[in-house]
Amino acid sequence: MAFVIRNSMEISAGLTVLISCLFLLSNGAEIEDCCQTNNNRQSFTTISKQPYRTSYHFQPSRNWINGVYLSSQILMYNPHGAVFGDIMIWAHSASYDLINWFHLNHAICPSEPYDINSCWSGSTTYILYTGIDANGRQVQNLAMPKNLSDPLLKEWVKFSGNPIMTPPNGVKVDNFRDPTTAWLGSDGEWRVIIGSQSNNQGMVILYRSKDFVHWTKFQHPLYSSERTGMWECPDFYPVSINGTNGVDTSILNPSVKHVVKTSFNSHDYYVLGTYDPQMEKFFPDSEFEGTSLDLRYDYGKFYASKTFFDSVKNRRILWAWVNESDSIQNDIEKGWSGVQSIPRQIWLDESGKQLVQWPVEEVEMLRGKQASINNKKLESGSVFEVSGIIASQVDVEVVFELPELEKADEFTSPGWVDPQLLCNDKNALIRSKLGPFSLLALATEDLTEQTAIFFRIFRGHNRYIVLMCSDQSRSSLREDTDKTTYGAFVDIDPLQVKISLRSLIDHSMIESFGGGGRTCITSRVYPRLATKRGARLCIFNNGTLSVVVSSMNAWSMNKALTGGEEGFKI
Ligand SMILES: *[C@@H]1O[C@H](CO)[C@@H](O)[C@H](O)[C@H]1NC(C)=O
Ligand SMILES: *[C@@H]1O[C@H](CO)[C@@H](O)[C@H](O)[C@H]1NC(C)=O
Ligand SMILES: *[C@@H]1O[C@H](CO)[C@@H](O)[C@H](O)[C@H]1NC(C)=O
Ligand SMILES: *[C@@H]1O[C@H](CO)[C@@H](O)[C@H](O)[C@H]1NC(C)=O
């Protein structure tokens, strides 16, 4: 029997709960009651010596993860190995600040369902998850906390009437998964959507329920689109049209727009639009194109993400699973794979055309020793090392002024160009007038190893074009890692705003936020020499024109408690 749990949902009752795209998988032979035992308590000595372990991003002490859950966090976890497979379970960690985490016992494991009779109401927290049944069908199941008085909801029990939704007619049995966070309609009934594909259209199938147990499918999907393939890990939520505040998932009024996000082709794409509750349909402002025109949360590695509304701080928070770019053999040798992004606040840009993301403010409590620069002119070809910080573990923000903006190279392409290809063709060694300039992260002194996160500015037909790139091609002397270059345009006008970049650098993880969070790129890198104290952080300008650093602030980051520490467990 194979058993897969992917994703789930939240309804909160005092405790904010989010569960992201989760997997629970067992290939059968040995279904064990792993909930009785916690993670294999291995020696972490070897792990602490590893150069690629992150210091302030959440990752498992060992083995494979994907997925999250807030305040309490549930992770898809493989207790037996560093890669996907074996028996997958839901590991459970908790945090009071989204940055420091402690382990709890595993929440749900492959085992016979408990016998439960209970009175369920909409103010209770449930988990709705996809299971794969004995016939290989993807079905939706329900689990609930065993003890609602437990603030950490440590124990979960499965509903005796599972499954509660099975693949509808016209949908392949293996294309029916990942229920979203439910929302409450004005009729008092719950709505939930499930990722699917039918007749070559990616879609989210809409259901409703009065009691969370009996679900009725609507005739039509909430939204579907050609050119995308199967939709995994969908997300559907409102964003405030005139502020950075978040709103509860069930809010529907003229002050919000809606977001549909789906995961396909290894990326998390979204469209903005309007939710019409009478027609029970979502109308996007523009459809998915299946090209580089489509909006993405992040233009590097960032998958199976999920948001939740944090009612305590009135914000919506996004986070995702960030995959390794290392070989499977190396993942197995280092004993773990997968890292969670730093949680990001997410809101609608003033333009109404895209979302903006920024690391949650809590990450700033890890900031230690600081280095600053103000008003420093960077002549063509200059490289300036930021000293006094630990460059392998740093939060850096840099803002540039472009005194000779009008001399920027002309953008000569006749039509739209794929920005990732442009970054690949014009990598960090190719000089134009304005650019490349910005950061060299995890660099050796001679720069043979370096990850360049940089901008290039072009003069377009009637506006300037800002390109942001993350060039991994020189990130490691090792040959066996994925060094794909990432890139995207930043929708800002450099005549109006300065060009800014913030990067969270953490040994093998670099999360970069360009233009105040309008364009995000996350990458994984595995330097051989630029590790720990051997790593440097530089500001560079290799354009033929000079640029000015109006400000630069970098902070060494303290280590967060991410669960991998020996003995740190409640
Ligand atoms: C439920 O949790 C509360 C709070 O942790 C605890 O006091 C109580 O004993 C628990 N009840 C059961 C039946 O375990
Ligand atoms: C936000 O927009 C709504 C709808 O247009 C309006 O009613 C509300 O006053 C606005 N709030 C702010 C803070 O501007
Ligand atoms: C995981 O990483 C590999 C190697 O970089 C990549 O090819 C693959 O697409 C990634 N998967 C996802 C879901 O991001
Ligand atoms: C600047 O560009 C030249 C020409 O490609 C290259 O040789 C040099 O290494 C570059 N400098 C930096 C800091 O990247």
Side-chain angles (χ1 to χ4, degrees):
M1 182 181 85
F3 188 62
V4 174
I5 292 181
R6 291 194 67 163
N7 195 10
S8 60
M9 56 138 304
E10 56 123 77
I11 310 166
S12 59
L15 172 69
T16 308
V17 176
L18 170 110
I19 300 157
S20 171
C21 254
L22 303 166
F23 302 61
L24 174 68
L25 182 143
S26 146
N27 49 17
E30 19 161 357
I31 306 267
E32 58 181 324
D33 191 0
C34 61
C35 291
Q36 300 307 313
T37 57
N38 210 327
N39 306 359
N40 306 358
R41 307 294 297 172
Q42 299 264 326
S43 158
F44 295 106
T45 345
T46 48
I47 277 173
S48 66
K49 288 195 186 123
Q50 292 189 14
Y52 305 134
R53 271 193 81 75
T54 56
S55 281
Y56 59 97
H57 284 79
F58 186 88
Q59 63 181 140
S61 54
R62 57 196 298 273
N63 301 341
W64 193 96
I65 59 154
N66 154 292
V68 280
Y69 162 99
L70 168 69
S71 255
S72 273
Q73 154 172 260
I74 293 186
L75 300 155
M76 173 184 171
Y77 180 76
N78 176 355
H80 297 158
V83 292
F84 182 88
D86 282 330
I87 292 182
M88 305 298 298
I89 53 107
W90 286 16
H92 192 178
S93 301
S95 173
Y96 297 107
D97 59 14
L98 297 168
I99 301 294
N100 293 294
W101 296 91
F102 50 89
H103 288 310
L104 298 167
N105 283 332
H106 299 325
I108 302 185
C109 301
S111 67
E112 291 310 305
Y114 290 79
D115 212 342
I116 311 154
N117 284 306
S118 232
C119 222
W120 293 5
S121 76
S123 62
T124 308
T125 301
Y126 302 102
I127 294 179
L128 187 54
Y129 66 91
T130 303
I132 292 194
D133 73 6
N135 301 319
R137 289 186 314 166
Q138 294 177 352
V139 298
Q140 314 314 321
N141 298 323
L142 204 54
M144 62 176 295
K146 194 169 182 182
N147 180 0
L148 281 169
S149 310
D150 171 11
L152 295 171
L153 302 182
K154 289 191 285 284
E155 289 185 87
W156 293 79
V157 287
K158 296 168 192 170
F159 174 50
S160 58
N162 284 339
I164 54 171
M165 295 174 215
T166 54
N169 287 338
V171 167
K172 284 207 203 134
V173 297
D174 57 353
N175 277 346
F176 183 62
R177 56 180 179 268
D178 306 340
T180 57
T181 300
W183 70 95
L184 204 52
S186 57
D187 56 2
E189 291 196 29
W190 291 101
R191 304 285 193 282
V192 84
I193 49 175
I194 313 234
S196 188
Q197 177 186 32
S198 181
N199 297 324
N200 283 325
Q201 297 210 326
M203 62 175 63
V204 277
I205 302 178
L206 179 65
Y207 284 80
R208 67 160 190 259
S209 172
K210 285 193 175 67
D211 57 7
F212 234 86
V213 172
H214 303 94
W215 292 87
T216 311
K217 188 177 91 64
F218 283 87
Q219 279 286 312
H220 57 268
L222 180 77
Y223 174 49
S224 65
S225 178
E226 291 165 357
R227 303 186 286 266
T228 59
M230 169 69 196
W231 287 6
E232 295 196 291
C233 307
D235 202 2
F236 180 59
Y237 56 91
V239 283
S240 181
I241 56 172
N242 51 13
T244 60
N245 61 297
V247 286
D248 182 272
T249 308
S250 298
I251 295 288
L252 183 57
N253 62 41
S255 72
V256 301
K257 255 183 122 72
H258 272 77
V259 179
V260 169
K261 167 261 161 178
T262 99
S263 302
F264 56 88
N265 293 345
S266 295
H267 300 301
D268 281 11
Y269 295 93
Y270 69 90
V271 282
L272 297 165
T274 309
Y275 171 37
D276 181 332
Q278 263 72 51
M279 296 178 73
E280 293 290 354
K281 260 182 174 298
F282 170 80
F283 296 97
D285 295 347
S286 56
E287 296 281 349
F288 284 121
E289 296 285 339
T291 68
S292 64
L293 275 170
D294 289 332
L295 291 166
R296 281 162 53 177
Y297 281 160
D298 191 295
Y299 294 84
K301 310 195 93 173
F302 193 88
Y303 197 70
S305 67
K306 205 79 175 176
T307 64
F308 69 92
F309 173 59
D310 170 9
S311 58
V312 177
K313 291 201 171 178
N314 235 358
R315 55 187 177 170
R316 186 161 284 272
I317 289 173
L318 163 74
W319 47 3
W321 166 60
V322 179
N323 189 3
E324 299 299 308
S325 295
D326 209 343
S327 67
I328 288 183
Q329 193 46 46
N330 285 325
D331 287 350
I332 292 168
E333 272 166 29
K334 67 186 193 285
W336 55 272
S337 71
V339 181
Q340 292 301 127
S341 71
I342 291 291
R344 303 172 179 181
Q345 190 175 342
I346 186 165
W347 66 91
L348 184 67
D349 183 45
E350 285 166 0
S351 68
K353 292 190 296 190
Q354 67 161 104
L355 297 169
V356 183
Q357 300 158 56
W358 198 246
V360 292
E361 60 189 12
E362 286 86 343
V363 76
E364 294 168 23
M365 72 192 171
L366 297 175
R367 286 174 172 177
K369 209 164 169 224
Q370 183 177 3
S372 299
I373 302 170
N374 287 301
N375 287 320
K376 186 179 172 62
K377 189 169 179 183
L378 286 187
E379 303 287 355
S380 168
S382 52
V383 182
F384 179 86
E385 187 184 336
V386 179
S387 54
I389 44 124
I390 300 170
S392 55
Q393 203 170 305
V394 71
D395 179 0
V396 55
E397 258 184 283
V398 58
V399 180
F400 293 94
E401 261 170 88
L402 310 172
E404 300 177 279
L405 178 61
E406 71 289 347
K407 294 187 191 155
D409 283 320
E410 226 174 290
F411 195 72
T412 45
S413 303
W416 180 264
V417 250
D418 182 330
Q420 181 166 356
L421 293 180
L422 197 53
C423 286
N424 193 56
D425 292 348
K426 291 185 187 293
N427 65 39
L429 293 182
I430 307 291
R431 312 183 73 176
S432 52
K433 289 204 177 101
L434 274 177
F437 64 88
S438 216
L439 296 178
L440 299 178
L442 298 172
T444 48
E445 190 159 19
D446 63 2
L447 304 183
T448 48
E449 281 189 331
Q450 52 156 285
T451 300
I453 305 123
F454 66 87
F455 295 106
R456 210 182 276 281
I457 319 289
F458 300 97
R459 199 156 35 84
H461 184 51
N462 46 20
R463 62 188 187 105
Y464 289 97
I465 292 161
V466 179
L467 180 69
M468 171 174 163
C469 307
S470 184
D471 178 354
Q472 280 66 241
S473 59
R474 278 167 295 281
S475 60
S476 177
L477 293 171
R478 287 178 40 197
E479 301 286 339
D480 55 350
T481 66
D482 175 359
K483 296 178 184 169
T484 305
T485 291
Y486 308 120
F489 294 112
V490 191
D491 192 6
I492 52 170
D493 179 1
L495 283 172
Q496 308 293 330
V497 288
K498 292 179 182 174
I499 305 291
S500 70
L501 175 69
R502 179 174 178 192
S503 290
L504 297 172
I505 300 161
D506 192 2
H507 300 273
S508 65
M509 174 97 168
I510 305 177
E511 288 186 75
S512 297
F513 302 81
R518 278 170 189 80
T519 299
C520 306
I521 301 181
T522 297
S523 70
R524 298 299 309 279
V525 294
Y526 308 87
R528 184 187 279 164
L529 303 171
T531 61
K532 304 205 164 172
R533 301 268 167 185
R536 287 174 162 70
L537 174 67
C538 303
I539 317 277
F540 82 111
N541 173 26
N542 215 6
T544 57
L545 299 173
S546 60
V547 300
V548 173
V549 177
S550 26
S551 68
M552 190 283 321
N553 289 292
W555 294 264
S556 293
M557 294 296 270
N558 292 316
K559 200 169 161 45
L561 300 171
T562 56
E565 298 78 9
E566 180 73 276
F568 189 71
K569 179 171 177 285
I570 60 163

